[in-house]
Amino acid sequence: MIERTTLERHQVWVYLAAIGLGLALGMAAPELAPVFEAVLWPVLGALLYATFTQVPLVHLGAALRDGRFVATVLGGNVLAVPLLVAALLPLVPDDPAVRLGVVLVLVVPCTDWFITFTHLARGDTARAIAVTPLILLAQLALLPGYVWLLVGGDVTAEVPLAHVATAFGALIVLPLALAWVTERRAEGHGRALIERLAWAPVPLLAAVVFLIAASQVGAVARALPLLADVSTAFVLFLAGTLVLGVALARIVGLPPRAGRTLTFSLGTRNSFVVLPLALALPPSWQAASIVIVVQSLVELFGMLAFLRLVPRLLPDR
């Protein structure tokens, strides 16, 4: 039987196949687009619930014990990464929806496959698990401010906040609360359910990108001319975070394994936590969700390079 780490290591090919199948079906049967859109929301909610159950929400206090590591991870994600995003924005097409998608996805640090890739690169998985809930709460609190600063108040004024707030509550707050309850119950009754749910994110994310491709095939076609420039910015972001993570680890004096964890924290982004917010936008803003899906694919290929480079740049002493 296939192991979960093997599935996670090759997940990019699963997603590419799902997108290709979704685009083909969307072009062959465009009348099914409303059905795909209706199914997308519960599947996305299930994906976020399964993902959040892998974040140790009930052990938030453990994240505060290693002050130097926590301060470096938060400082890198809260200050350095947004500055890098601001420097890259001039390379992105001057389209409000595209820029909103870029900012949404790049300022939000990852809380799921960040741990997987940290483990595969022989990083400090325990530190990654401990700091993850802190990153999750910080990103949700600071996201509106980053969007306002980097995209502009004139653009965000056009966004229907009521729709976004509804999506945030239904697809982030509710799964987050259910995940917390699940973790509390798992502490007293074993972790079999949590371990089974750990298999769910990859197939559920494949289902999500399939449904997006099938339902948004027109938006994908319209966004194609923009995707090359956006992908270039995403590749430069990965290169910048690689340099930033290694430099910060050496400046602060983190142990090599903790330094690798820091670098993966800066390089990985939380694409499908912000995806519901983009999907809640009006049709004129559909490019934002396409940009977010593209970023996740670019990042997954980038992580294959990170797995080779990060251990070499931060070798064990």
Side-chain angles (χ1 to χ4, degrees):
M1 189 176 73
I2 187 172
E3 294 184 357
R4 182 161 58 88
T5 54
T6 303
L7 177 64
E8 291 170 343
R9 185 180 291 112
H10 298 288
Q11 57 190 307
V12 62
W13 308 112
V14 177
Y15 304 145
L16 285 173
I19 289 174
L21 182 59
L23 289 174
L25 187 56
M27 289 186 288
E31 68 277 4
L32 293 178
V35 177
F36 293 136
E37 288 185 12
V39 175
L40 171 62
W41 294 99
V43 175
L44 189 53
L47 166 64
L48 291 169
Y49 165 71
T51 299
F52 290 151
T53 60
Q54 307 309 304
V55 178
L57 299 168
V58 296
H59 294 141
L60 183 59
L64 304 176
R65 293 175 186 166
D66 188 345
R68 182 176 57 167
F69 173 74
V70 171
T72 307
V73 170
L74 287 179
N77 278 294
V78 170
L79 297 174
V81 167
L83 289 174
L84 176 60
V85 175
L88 293 174
L89 273 182
L91 304 177
V92 176
D94 190 15
D95 180 302
V98 171
R99 291 200 168 192
L100 179 60
V102 169
V103 170
L104 279 175
V105 73
L106 289 187
V107 299
V108 180
C110 187
T111 55
D112 45 23
W113 60 47
F114 151 57
I115 297 174
T116 299
F117 286 115
T118 295
H119 171 70
L120 293 174
R122 303 189 309 279
D124 194 325
T125 308
R127 277 189 172 94
I129 293 172
V131 80
T132 295
L134 199 60
I135 295 175
L136 177 63
L137 296 179
Q139 72 185 37
L140 296 179
L142 295 174
L143 181 59
Y146 287 135
V147 171
W148 184 81
L149 284 171
L150 295 172
V151 182
D154 54 339
V155 173
T156 54
E158 301 178 23
V159 176
L161 296 180
H163 291 174
V164 175
T166 300
F168 183 83
L171 290 174
I172 296 180
V173 175
L174 181 58
L176 194 60
L178 291 175
W180 183 82
V181 171
T182 302
E183 290 182 33
R184 287 294 302 269
R185 291 180 60 85
E187 283 201 323
H189 300 84
R191 295 189 56 82
L193 175 59
I194 300 294
E195 292 173 0
R196 286 196 296 270
L197 286 170
W199 283 84
V202 172
L204 284 174
L205 183 53
V208 165
V209 295
F210 164 80
L211 291 168
I212 290 174
S215 63
Q216 306 292 331
V217 63
V220 172
R222 290 190 297 273
L224 282 177
L226 307 173
L227 296 184
D229 292 335
V230 173
S231 298
T232 299
F234 291 150
V235 171
L236 291 174
F237 175 84
L238 287 168
T241 53
L242 177 63
V243 173
L244 182 62
V246 173
L248 281 176
R250 291 175 177 172
I251 291 170
V252 177
L254 292 178
R257 294 182 66 219
R260 295 172 197 166
T261 305
L262 166 67
T263 305
F264 277 95
S265 171
L266 300 179
T268 52
R269 303 287 92 189
N270 222 336
S271 54
F272 52 82
V273 166
V274 295
L275 185 58
L277 307 182
L279 289 171
L281 299 174
S284 59
W285 294 80
Q286 284 179 338
S289 58
I290 304 303
V291 165
I292 290 171
V293 172
V294 169
Q295 186 279 334
S296 67
L297 294 175
V298 172
E299 178 180 301
L300 282 167
F301 280 110
M303 287 304 105
L304 300 180
F306 267 49
L307 288 176
R308 290 181 174 272
L309 293 173
V310 173
R312 294 181 183 179
L313 295 171
L314 295 168
D316 292 319
R317 292 170 186 155

